[in-house]
Amino acid sequence: MSTASSVAKLMGFAPERIEDLKTAIAEACINAMEHGNKLDESLIVVVILSMDETSLEVKVLDMGTGPPGVVHAPNMDKKMHGEEPSRGMGMFLIQALVDEAEWVSSPPSGSYARLVIRLNKTEE
């Protein structure tokens, strides 16, 4: 998170966007450890940063098979009333915080989350 934050700052991202990025990366790493690697401490999580003049891409790789299906928006009313578990909003949160998010399964080597934030004209 710190490295991505430093790169985003050097690129000229607004502080709010940097905080969004840090939160999205943290969530993607948690998902990679918990769901991808099934909390197996012997498995690694790799974070790769790529940038160009207008965007920063972050890939978070794990050794899992990737998430099943499509990301659905959580039912916040049910979660607030305890009718659904409070957990299970990570992918939805990531999508809300970055400009582009996708989850790719690439067996047998694992899977990855790809997050992209773009510089706005007002930030350049």
Side-chain angles (χ1 to χ4, degrees), residues 75-111:
N75 185 322
M76 295 306 289
D77 287 334
K78 287 186 177 184
K79 287 190 181 295
M80 296 295 287
H81 291 99
E83 298 169 13
E84 286 185 0
S86 60
R87 297 186 41 113
M89 299 190 317
M91 292 170 68
F92 176 75
L93 176 64
I94 291 168
Q95 284 182 321
L97 293 172
V98 298
D99 295 316
E100 189 177 332
E102 70 175 324
W103 289 267
V104 178
S105 178
S106 56
S109 62
S111 64

PDB file of all heavy atoms in Angstrom, residues 75-111:
ATOM      1  N   ASN A  75     -26.756  -6.429  -0.391  1.00  0.00           N
ATOM      2  CA  ASN A  75     -27.998  -5.839   0.086  1.00  0.00           C
ATOM      3  C   ASN A  75     -27.698  -5.182   1.432  1.00  0.00           C
ATOM      4  O   ASN A  75     -27.654  -5.839   2.473  1.00  0.00           O
ATOM      5  CB  ASN A  75     -29.081  -6.911   0.231  1.00  0.00           C
ATOM      6  CG  ASN A  75     -30.426  -6.320   0.602  1.00  0.00           C
ATOM      7  OD1 ASN A  75     -30.503  -5.370   1.388  1.00  0.00           O
ATOM      8  ND2 ASN A  75     -31.480  -6.892   0.061  1.00  0.00           N
ATOM      9  N   MET A  76     -27.457  -3.886   1.408  1.00  0.00           N
ATOM     10  CA  MET A  76     -27.026  -3.168   2.603  1.00  0.00           C
ATOM     11  C   MET A  76     -28.098  -3.185   3.700  1.00  0.00           C
ATOM     12  O   MET A  76     -27.766  -3.260   4.885  1.00  0.00           O
ATOM     13  CB  MET A  76     -26.644  -1.731   2.246  1.00  0.00           C
ATOM     14  CG  MET A  76     -25.437  -1.639   1.333  1.00  0.00           C
ATOM     15  SD  MET A  76     -23.984  -2.517   1.942  1.00  0.00           S
ATOM     16  CE  MET A  76     -23.533  -1.472   3.312  1.00  0.00           C
ATOM     17  N   ASP A  77     -29.382  -3.124   3.331  1.00  0.00           N
ATOM     18  CA  ASP A  77     -30.440  -3.163   4.338  1.00  0.00           C
ATOM     19  C   ASP A  77     -30.393  -4.472   5.117  1.00  0.00           C
ATOM     20  O   ASP A  77     -30.469  -4.476   6.344  1.00  0.00           O
ATOM     21  CB  ASP A  77     -31.824  -2.992   3.687  1.00  0.00           C
ATOM     22  CG  ASP A  77     -32.088  -1.566   3.230  1.00  0.00           C
ATOM     23  OD1 ASP A  77     -31.484  -0.639   3.818  1.00  0.00           O
ATOM     24  OD2 ASP A  77     -32.882  -1.390   2.299  1.00  0.00           O
ATOM     25  N   LYS A  78     -30.248  -5.586   4.409  1.00  0.00           N
ATOM     26  CA  LYS A  78     -30.184  -6.885   5.083  1.00  0.00           C
ATOM     27  C   LYS A  78     -28.930  -7.002   5.943  1.00  0.00           C
ATOM     28  O   LYS A  78     -28.975  -7.553   7.039  1.00  0.00           O
ATOM     29  CB  LYS A  78     -30.239  -8.021   4.061  1.00  0.00           C
ATOM     30  CG  LYS A  78     -31.601  -8.215   3.449  1.00  0.00           C
ATOM     31  CD  LYS A  78     -31.648  -9.426   2.551  1.00  0.00           C
ATOM     32  CE  LYS A  78     -33.054  -9.628   2.016  1.00  0.00           C
ATOM     33  NZ  LYS A  78     -33.154 -10.855   1.206  1.00  0.00           N
ATOM     34  N   LYS A  79     -27.820  -6.478   5.449  1.00  0.00           N
ATOM     35  CA  LYS A  79     -26.583  -6.522   6.238  1.00  0.00           C
ATOM     36  C   LYS A  79     -26.730  -5.682   7.507  1.00  0.00           C
ATOM     37  O   LYS A  79     -26.317  -6.096   8.591  1.00  0.00           O
ATOM     38  CB  LYS A  79     -25.396  -6.057   5.402  1.00  0.00           C
ATOM     39  CG  LYS A  79     -24.973  -7.084   4.360  1.00  0.00           C
ATOM     40  CD  LYS A  79     -23.666  -6.709   3.734  1.00  0.00           C
ATOM     41  CE  LYS A  79     -23.242  -7.705   2.684  1.00  0.00           C
ATOM     42  NZ  LYS A  79     -22.963  -9.049   3.214  1.00  0.00           N
ATOM     43  N   MET A  80     -27.343  -4.501   7.390  1.00  0.00           N
ATOM     44  CA  MET A  80     -27.510  -3.607   8.538  1.00  0.00           C
ATOM     45  C   MET A  80     -28.456  -4.193   9.587  1.00  0.00           C
ATOM     46  O   MET A  80     -28.310  -3.926  10.776  1.00  0.00           O
ATOM     47  CB  MET A  80     -28.024  -2.237   8.084  1.00  0.00           C
ATOM     48  CG  MET A  80     -27.048  -1.477   7.186  1.00  0.00           C
ATOM     49  SD  MET A  80     -25.537  -1.020   8.017  1.00  0.00           S
ATOM     50  CE  MET A  80     -26.129   0.290   9.057  1.00  0.00           C
ATOM     51  N   HIS A  81     -29.423  -4.994   9.131  1.00  0.00           N
ATOM     52  CA  HIS A  81     -30.396  -5.584  10.050  1.00  0.00           C
ATOM     53  C   HIS A  81     -29.989  -6.986  10.502  1.00  0.00           C
ATOM     54  O   HIS A  81     -30.783  -7.690  11.134  1.00  0.00           O
ATOM     55  CB  HIS A  81     -31.786  -5.606   9.396  1.00  0.00           C
ATOM     56  CG  HIS A  81     -32.368  -4.236   9.243  1.00  0.00           C
ATOM     57  ND1 HIS A  81     -32.315  -3.541   8.057  1.00  0.00           N
ATOM     58  CD2 HIS A  81     -32.968  -3.418  10.147  1.00  0.00           C
ATOM     59  CE1 HIS A  81     -32.881  -2.357   8.229  1.00  0.00           C
ATOM     60  NE2 HIS A  81     -33.278  -2.250   9.483  1.00  0.00           N
ATOM     61  N   GLY A  82     -28.778  -7.410  10.151  1.00  0.00           N
ATOM     62  CA  GLY A  82     -28.284  -8.713  10.589  1.00  0.00           C
ATOM     63  C   GLY A  82     -28.887  -9.896   9.866  1.00  0.00           C
ATOM     64  O   GLY A  82     -28.759 -11.034  10.316  1.00  0.00           O
ATOM     65  N   GLU A  83     -29.567  -9.639   8.751  1.00  0.00           N
ATOM     66  CA  GLU A  83     -30.190 -10.719   7.995  1.00  0.00           C
ATOM     67  C   GLU A  83     -29.204 -11.401   7.049  1.00  0.00           C
ATOM     68  O   GLU A  83     -29.486 -12.467   6.525  1.00  0.00           O
ATOM     69  CB  GLU A  83     -31.392 -10.184   7.212  1.00  0.00           C
ATOM     70  CG  GLU A  83     -32.485  -9.629   8.113  1.00  0.00           C
ATOM     71  CD  GLU A  83     -33.542  -8.858   7.342  1.00  0.00           C
ATOM     72  OE1 GLU A  83     -33.584  -8.948   6.100  1.00  0.00           O
ATOM     73  OE2 GLU A  83     -34.330  -8.146   7.994  1.00  0.00           O
ATOM     74  N   GLU A  84     -28.075 -10.746   6.813  1.00  0.00           N
ATOM     75  CA  GLU A  84     -26.983 -11.302   6.010  1.00  0.00           C
ATOM     76  C   GLU A  84     -25.694 -11.047   6.779  1.00  0.00           C
ATOM     77  O   GLU A  84     -25.615 -10.099   7.569  1.00  0.00           O
ATOM     78  CB  GLU A  84     -26.887 -10.619   4.639  1.00  0.00           C
ATOM     79  CG  GLU A  84     -27.958 -11.002   3.666  1.00  0.00           C
ATOM     80  CD  GLU A  84     -27.730 -10.374   2.285  1.00  0.00           C
ATOM     81  OE1 GLU A  84     -26.731  -9.635   2.106  1.00  0.00           O
ATOM     82  OE2 GLU A  84     -28.556 -10.612   1.400  1.00  0.00           O
ATOM     83  N   PRO A  85     -24.685 -11.878   6.548  1.00  0.00           N
ATOM     84  CA  PRO A  85     -23.402 -11.623   7.222  1.00  0.00           C
ATOM     85  C   PRO A  85     -22.862 -10.241   6.852  1.00  0.00           C
ATOM     86  O   PRO A  85     -23.053  -9.765   5.726  1.00  0.00           O
ATOM     87  CB  PRO A  85     -22.478 -12.716   6.678  1.00  0.00           C
ATOM     88  CG  PRO A  85     -23.368 -13.734   6.067  1.00  0.00           C
ATOM     89  CD  PRO A  85     -24.645 -13.043   5.685  1.00  0.00           C
ATOM     90  N   SER A  86     -22.192  -9.602   7.820  1.00  0.00           N
ATOM     91  CA  SER A  86     -21.631  -8.273   7.560  1.00  0.00           C
ATOM     92  C   SER A  86     -20.450  -8.346   6.601  1.00  0.00           C
ATOM     93  O   SER A  86     -20.099  -7.367   5.973  1.00  0.00           O
ATOM     94  CB  SER A  86     -21.196  -7.612   8.872  1.00  0.00           C
ATOM     95  OG  SER A  86     -20.216  -8.409   9.508  1.00  0.00           O
ATOM     96  N   ARG A  87     -19.842  -9.498   6.488  1.00  0.00           N
ATOM     97  CA  ARG A  87     -18.714  -9.676   5.583  1.00  0.00           C
ATOM     98  C   ARG A  87     -19.230  -9.909   4.161  1.00  0.00           C
ATOM     99  O   ARG A  87     -20.411  -9.989   3.932  1.00  0.00           O
ATOM    100  CB  ARG A  87     -17.870 -10.859   6.046  1.00  0.00           C
ATOM    101  CG  ARG A  87     -17.268 -10.595   7.419  1.00  0.00           C
ATOM    102  CD  ARG A  87     -16.329 -11.676   7.795  1.00  0.00           C
ATOM    103  NE  ARG A  87     -15.514 -12.084   6.681  1.00  0.00           N
ATOM    104  CZ  ARG A  87     -14.218 -11.897   6.590  1.00  0.00           C
ATOM    105  NH1 ARG A  87     -13.581 -11.310   7.546  1.00  0.00           N
ATOM    106  NH2 ARG A  87     -13.538 -12.310   5.545  1.00  0.00           N
ATOM    107  N   GLY A  88     -18.296 -10.002   3.207  1.00  0.00           N
ATOM    108  CA  GLY A  88     -18.686 -10.317   1.840  1.00  0.00           C
ATOM    109  C   GLY A  88     -18.897  -9.107   0.954  1.00  0.00           C
ATOM    110  O   GLY A  88     -19.605  -9.193  -0.045  1.00  0.00           O
ATOM    111  N   MET A  89     -18.280  -7.980   1.318  1.00  0.00           N
ATOM    112  CA  MET A  89     -18.453  -6.780   0.513  1.00  0.00           C
ATOM    113  C   MET A  89     -17.155  -6.333  -0.148  1.00  0.00           C
ATOM    114  O   MET A  89     -17.110  -5.288  -0.783  1.00  0.00           O
ATOM    115  CB  MET A  89     -19.000  -5.634   1.370  1.00  0.00           C
ATOM    116  CG  MET A  89     -20.351  -5.930   1.967  1.00  0.00           C
ATOM    117  SD  MET A  89     -21.166  -4.518   2.744  1.00  0.00           S
ATOM    118  CE  MET A  89     -19.878  -3.728   3.646  1.00  0.00           C
ATOM    119  N   GLY A  90     -16.090  -7.115  -0.009  1.00  0.00           N
ATOM    120  CA  GLY A  90     -14.769  -6.707  -0.481  1.00  0.00           C
ATOM    121  C   GLY A  90     -14.695  -6.374  -1.951  1.00  0.00           C
ATOM    122  O   GLY A  90     -14.199  -5.316  -2.336  1.00  0.00           O
ATOM    123  N   MET A  91     -15.176  -7.271  -2.795  1.00  0.00           N
ATOM    124  CA  MET A  91     -15.092  -7.038  -4.237  1.00  0.00           C
ATOM    125  C   MET A  91     -15.956  -5.857  -4.643  1.00  0.00           C
ATOM    126  O   MET A  91     -15.561  -5.062  -5.497  1.00  0.00           O
ATOM    127  CB  MET A  91     -15.460  -8.309  -4.999  1.00  0.00           C
ATOM    128  CG  MET A  91     -14.420  -9.417  -4.804  1.00  0.00           C
ATOM    129  SD  MET A  91     -14.939 -11.029  -5.438  1.00  0.00           S
ATOM    130  CE  MET A  91     -14.956 -10.729  -7.179  1.00  0.00           C
ATOM    131  N   PHE A  92     -17.115  -5.732  -4.022  1.00  0.00           N
ATOM    132  CA  PHE A  92     -17.993  -4.595  -4.289  1.00  0.00           C
ATOM    133  C   PHE A  92     -17.304  -3.288  -3.879  1.00  0.00           C
ATOM    134  O   PHE A  92     -17.322  -2.306  -4.619  1.00  0.00           O
ATOM    135  CB  PHE A  92     -19.315  -4.773  -3.538  1.00  0.00           C
ATOM    136  CG  PHE A  92     -20.246  -3.618  -3.674  1.00  0.00           C
ATOM    137  CD1 PHE A  92     -20.948  -3.408  -4.850  1.00  0.00           C
ATOM    138  CD2 PHE A  92     -20.424  -2.724  -2.631  1.00  0.00           C
ATOM    139  CE1 PHE A  92     -21.815  -2.329  -4.987  1.00  0.00           C
ATOM    140  CE2 PHE A  92     -21.284  -1.651  -2.754  1.00  0.00           C
ATOM    141  CZ  PHE A  92     -21.978  -1.450  -3.931  1.00  0.00           C
ATOM    142  N   LEU A  93     -16.658  -3.290  -2.731  1.00  0.00           N
ATOM    143  CA  LEU A  93     -15.940  -2.117  -2.253  1.00  0.00           C
ATOM    144  C   LEU A  93     -14.807  -1.746  -3.204  1.00  0.00           C
ATOM    145  O   LEU A  93     -14.644  -0.580  -3.571  1.00  0.00           O
ATOM    146  CB  LEU A  93     -15.382  -2.378  -0.850  1.00  0.00           C
ATOM    147  CG  LEU A  93     -14.529  -1.278  -0.233  1.00  0.00           C
ATOM    148  CD1 LEU A  93     -15.346  -0.013  -0.021  1.00  0.00           C
ATOM    149  CD2 LEU A  93     -13.925  -1.749   1.079  1.00  0.00           C
ATOM    150  N   ILE A  94     -14.035  -2.728  -3.621  1.00  0.00           N
ATOM    151  CA  ILE A  94     -12.932  -2.483  -4.557  1.00  0.00           C
ATOM    152  C   ILE A  94     -13.462  -1.819  -5.824  1.00  0.00           C
ATOM    153  O   ILE A  94     -12.914  -0.824  -6.295  1.00  0.00           O
ATOM    154  CB  ILE A  94     -12.183  -3.784  -4.881  1.00  0.00           C
ATOM    155  CG1 ILE A  94     -11.407  -4.268  -3.649  1.00  0.00           C
ATOM    156  CG2 ILE A  94     -11.236  -3.590  -6.072  1.00  0.00           C
ATOM    157  CD1 ILE A  94     -10.865  -5.682  -3.775  1.00  0.00           C
ATOM    158  N   GLN A  95     -14.537  -2.364  -6.388  1.00  0.00           N
ATOM    159  CA  GLN A  95     -15.113  -1.787  -7.610  1.00  0.00           C
ATOM    160  C   GLN A  95     -15.547  -0.344  -7.405  1.00  0.00           C
ATOM    161  O   GLN A  95     -15.454   0.466  -8.325  1.00  0.00           O
ATOM    162  CB  GLN A  95     -16.307  -2.612  -8.085  1.00  0.00           C
ATOM    163  CG  GLN A  95     -15.925  -3.892  -8.760  1.00  0.00           C
ATOM    164  CD  GLN A  95     -17.150  -4.637  -9.262  1.00  0.00           C
ATOM    165  OE1 GLN A  95     -18.190  -4.675  -8.605  1.00  0.00           O
ATOM    166  NE2 GLN A  95     -17.019  -5.238 -10.431  1.00  0.00           N
ATOM    167  N   ALA A  96     -16.023  -0.017  -6.216  1.00  0.00           N
ATOM    168  CA  ALA A  96     -16.484   1.342  -5.941  1.00  0.00           C
ATOM    169  C   ALA A  96     -15.327   2.325  -5.785  1.00  0.00           C
ATOM    170  O   ALA A  96     -15.503   3.517  -6.000  1.00  0.00           O
ATOM    171  CB  ALA A  96     -17.351   1.351  -4.681  1.00  0.00           C
ATOM    172  N   LEU A  97     -14.147   1.827  -5.429  1.00  0.00           N
ATOM    173  CA  LEU A  97     -13.021   2.700  -5.129  1.00  0.00           C
ATOM    174  C   LEU A  97     -12.083   2.969  -6.297  1.00  0.00           C
ATOM    175  O   LEU A  97     -11.347   3.952  -6.277  1.00  0.00           O
ATOM    176  CB  LEU A  97     -12.204   2.116  -3.966  1.00  0.00           C
ATOM    177  CG  LEU A  97     -12.917   2.095  -2.620  1.00  0.00           C
ATOM    178  CD1 LEU A  97     -12.090   1.318  -1.609  1.00  0.00           C
ATOM    179  CD2 LEU A  97     -13.201   3.507  -2.128  1.00  0.00           C
ATOM    180  N   VAL A  98     -12.067   2.091  -7.290  1.00  0.00           N
ATOM    181  CA  VAL A  98     -11.146   2.258  -8.412  1.00  0.00           C
ATOM    182  C   VAL A  98     -11.927   2.455  -9.702  1.00  0.00           C
ATOM    183  O   VAL A  98     -13.132   2.234  -9.756  1.00  0.00           O
ATOM    184  CB  VAL A  98     -10.164   1.058  -8.535  1.00  0.00           C
ATOM    185  CG1 VAL A  98      -9.299   0.934  -7.283  1.00  0.00           C
ATOM    186  CG2 VAL A  98     -10.893  -0.241  -8.814  1.00  0.00           C
ATOM    187  N   ASP A  99     -11.230   2.862 -10.757  1.00  0.00           N
ATOM    188  CA  ASP A  99     -11.894   3.104 -12.035  1.00  0.00           C
ATOM    189  C   ASP A  99     -12.169   1.818 -12.795  1.00  0.00           C
ATOM    190  O   ASP A  99     -13.101   1.763 -13.602  1.00  0.00           O
ATOM    191  CB  ASP A  99     -11.030   4.036 -12.898  1.00  0.00           C
ATOM    192  CG  ASP A  99     -10.905   5.419 -12.270  1.00  0.00           C
ATOM    193  OD1 ASP A  99     -11.923   5.953 -11.809  1.00  0.00           O
ATOM    194  OD2 ASP A  99      -9.775   5.946 -12.214  1.00  0.00           O
ATOM    195  N   GLU A 100     -11.369   0.821 -12.542  1.00  0.00           N
ATOM    196  CA  GLU A 100     -11.527  -0.444 -13.254  1.00  0.00           C
ATOM    197  C   GLU A 100     -11.059  -1.561 -12.329  1.00  0.00           C
ATOM    198  O   GLU A 100     -10.016  -1.441 -11.674  1.00  0.00           O
ATOM    199  CB  GLU A 100     -10.655  -0.417 -14.511  1.00  0.00           C
ATOM    200  CG  GLU A 100     -10.854  -1.541 -15.466  1.00  0.00           C
ATOM    201  CD  GLU A 100     -10.003  -1.374 -16.718  1.00  0.00           C
ATOM    202  OE1 GLU A 100      -9.675  -0.227 -17.105  1.00  0.00           O
ATOM    203  OE2 GLU A 100      -9.657  -2.409 -17.301  1.00  0.00           O
ATOM    204  N   ALA A 101     -11.831  -2.643 -12.245  1.00  0.00           N
ATOM    205  CA  ALA A 101     -11.453  -3.798 -11.436  1.00  0.00           C
ATOM    206  C   ALA A 101     -11.892  -5.060 -12.146  1.00  0.00           C
ATOM    207  O   ALA A 101     -12.995  -5.112 -12.698  1.00  0.00           O
ATOM    208  CB  ALA A 101     -12.094  -3.725 -10.057  1.00  0.00           C
ATOM    209  N   GLU A 102     -11.009  -6.039 -12.142  1.00  0.00           N
ATOM    210  CA  GLU A 102     -11.378  -7.338 -12.694  1.00  0.00           C
ATOM    211  C   GLU A 102     -10.644  -8.420 -11.928  1.00  0.00           C
ATOM    212  O   GLU A 102      -9.595  -8.182 -11.337  1.00  0.00           O
ATOM    213  CB  GLU A 102     -11.078  -7.438 -14.195  1.00  0.00           C
ATOM    214  CG  GLU A 102      -9.626  -7.486 -14.558  1.00  0.00           C
ATOM    215  CD  GLU A 102      -9.392  -7.704 -16.053  1.00  0.00           C
ATOM    216  OE1 GLU A 102     -10.157  -8.432 -16.690  1.00  0.00           O
ATOM    217  OE2 GLU A 102      -8.419  -7.127 -16.556  1.00  0.00           O
ATOM    218  N   TRP A 103     -11.244  -9.603 -11.934  1.00  0.00           N
ATOM    219  CA  TRP A 103     -10.649 -10.749 -11.274  1.00  0.00           C
ATOM    220  C   TRP A 103     -10.439 -11.824 -12.318  1.00  0.00           C
ATOM    221  O   TRP A 103     -11.369 -12.188 -13.031  1.00  0.00           O
ATOM    222  CB  TRP A 103     -11.562 -11.230 -10.146  1.00  0.00           C
ATOM    223  CG  TRP A 103     -11.558 -10.256  -9.020  1.00  0.00           C
ATOM    224  CD1 TRP A 103     -10.757 -10.295  -7.921  1.00  0.00           C
ATOM    225  CD2 TRP A 103     -12.340  -9.062  -8.889  1.00  0.00           C
ATOM    226  NE1 TRP A 103     -10.990  -9.209  -7.125  1.00  0.00           N
ATOM    227  CE2 TRP A 103     -11.958  -8.437  -7.684  1.00  0.00           C
ATOM    228  CE3 TRP A 103     -13.315  -8.454  -9.672  1.00  0.00           C
ATOM    229  CZ2 TRP A 103     -12.528  -7.245  -7.237  1.00  0.00           C
ATOM    230  CZ3 TRP A 103     -13.879  -7.271  -9.242  1.00  0.00           C
ATOM    231  CH2 TRP A 103     -13.491  -6.671  -8.036  1.00  0.00           C
ATOM    232  N   VAL A 104      -9.206 -12.303 -12.404  1.00  0.00           N
ATOM    233  CA  VAL A 104      -8.822 -13.218 -13.469  1.00  0.00           C
ATOM    234  C   VAL A 104      -8.311 -14.515 -12.861  1.00  0.00           C
ATOM    235  O   VAL A 104      -7.426 -14.498 -11.996  1.00  0.00           O
ATOM    236  CB  VAL A 104      -7.731 -12.588 -14.368  1.00  0.00           C
ATOM    237  CG1 VAL A 104      -7.296 -13.550 -15.447  1.00  0.00           C
ATOM    238  CG2 VAL A 104      -8.231 -11.278 -14.967  1.00  0.00           C
ATOM    239  N   SER A 105      -8.854 -15.614 -13.316  1.00  0.00           N
ATOM    240  CA  SER A 105      -8.375 -16.927 -12.915  1.00  0.00           C
ATOM    241  C   SER A 105      -7.405 -17.419 -13.968  1.00  0.00           C
ATOM    242  O   SER A 105      -7.712 -17.376 -15.162  1.00  0.00           O
ATOM    243  CB  SER A 105      -9.562 -17.886 -12.806  1.00  0.00           C
ATOM    244  OG  SER A 105      -9.108 -19.173 -12.470  1.00  0.00           O
ATOM    245  N   SER A 106      -6.214 -17.835 -13.535  1.00  0.00           N
ATOM    246  CA  SER A 106      -5.231 -18.321 -14.508  1.00  0.00           C
ATOM    247  C   SER A 106      -4.542 -19.588 -14.006  1.00  0.00           C
ATOM    248  O   SER A 106      -3.350 -19.587 -13.735  1.00  0.00           O
ATOM    249  CB  SER A 106      -4.208 -17.222 -14.827  1.00  0.00           C
ATOM    250  OG  SER A 106      -3.597 -16.773 -13.638  1.00  0.00           O
ATOM    251  N   PRO A 107      -5.338 -20.682 -13.840  1.00  0.00           N
ATOM    252  CA  PRO A 107      -4.739 -21.939 -13.400  1.00  0.00           C
ATOM    253  C   PRO A 107      -3.682 -22.408 -14.391  1.00  0.00           C
ATOM    254  O   PRO A 107      -3.789 -22.096 -15.566  1.00  0.00           O
ATOM    255  CB  PRO A 107      -5.914 -22.919 -13.380  1.00  0.00           C
ATOM    256  CG  PRO A 107      -7.132 -22.054 -13.344  1.00  0.00           C
ATOM    257  CD  PRO A 107      -6.763 -20.773 -14.020  1.00  0.00           C
ATOM    258  N   PRO A 108      -2.702 -23.133 -14.003  1.00  0.00           N
ATOM    259  CA  PRO A 108      -2.495 -23.635 -12.638  1.00  0.00           C
ATOM    260  C   PRO A 108      -1.705 -22.669 -11.769  1.00  0.00           C
ATOM    261  O   PRO A 108      -1.404 -22.963 -10.627  1.00  0.00           O
ATOM    262  CB  PRO A 108      -1.690 -24.906 -12.859  1.00  0.00           C
ATOM    263  CG  PRO A 108      -0.848 -24.590 -14.064  1.00  0.00           C
ATOM    264  CD  PRO A 108      -1.716 -23.707 -14.931  1.00  0.00           C
ATOM    265  N   SER A 109      -1.382 -21.499 -12.278  1.00  0.00           N
ATOM    266  CA  SER A 109      -0.501 -20.587 -11.542  1.00  0.00           C
ATOM    267  C   SER A 109      -1.224 -19.725 -10.507  1.00  0.00           C
ATOM    268  O   SER A 109      -0.588 -19.045  -9.730  1.00  0.00           O
ATOM    269  CB  SER A 109       0.253 -19.688 -12.523  1.00  0.00           C
ATOM    270  OG  SER A 109      -0.659 -18.903 -13.254  1.00  0.00           O
ATOM    271  N   GLY A 110      -2.525 -19.717 -10.473  1.00  0.00           N
ATOM    272  CA  GLY A 110      -3.264 -18.923  -9.500  1.00  0.00           C
ATOM    273  C   GLY A 110      -4.250 -17.987 -10.143  1.00  0.00           C
ATOM    274  O   GLY A 110      -4.787 -18.258 -11.216  1.00  0.00           O
ATOM    275  N   SER A 111      -4.500 -16.869  -9.489  1.00  0.00           N
ATOM    276  CA  SER A 111      -5.441 -15.876  -9.995  1.00  0.00           C
ATOM    277  C   SER A 111      -4.962 -14.503  -9.550  1.00  0.00           C
ATOM    278  O   SER A 111      -4.041 -14.382  -8.754  1.00  0.00           O
ATOM    279  CB  SER A 111      -6.848 -16.153  -9.463  1.00  0.00           C
ATOM    280  OG  SER A 111      -6.880 -16.025  -8.060  1.00  0.00           O
TER     281      SER A 111
END
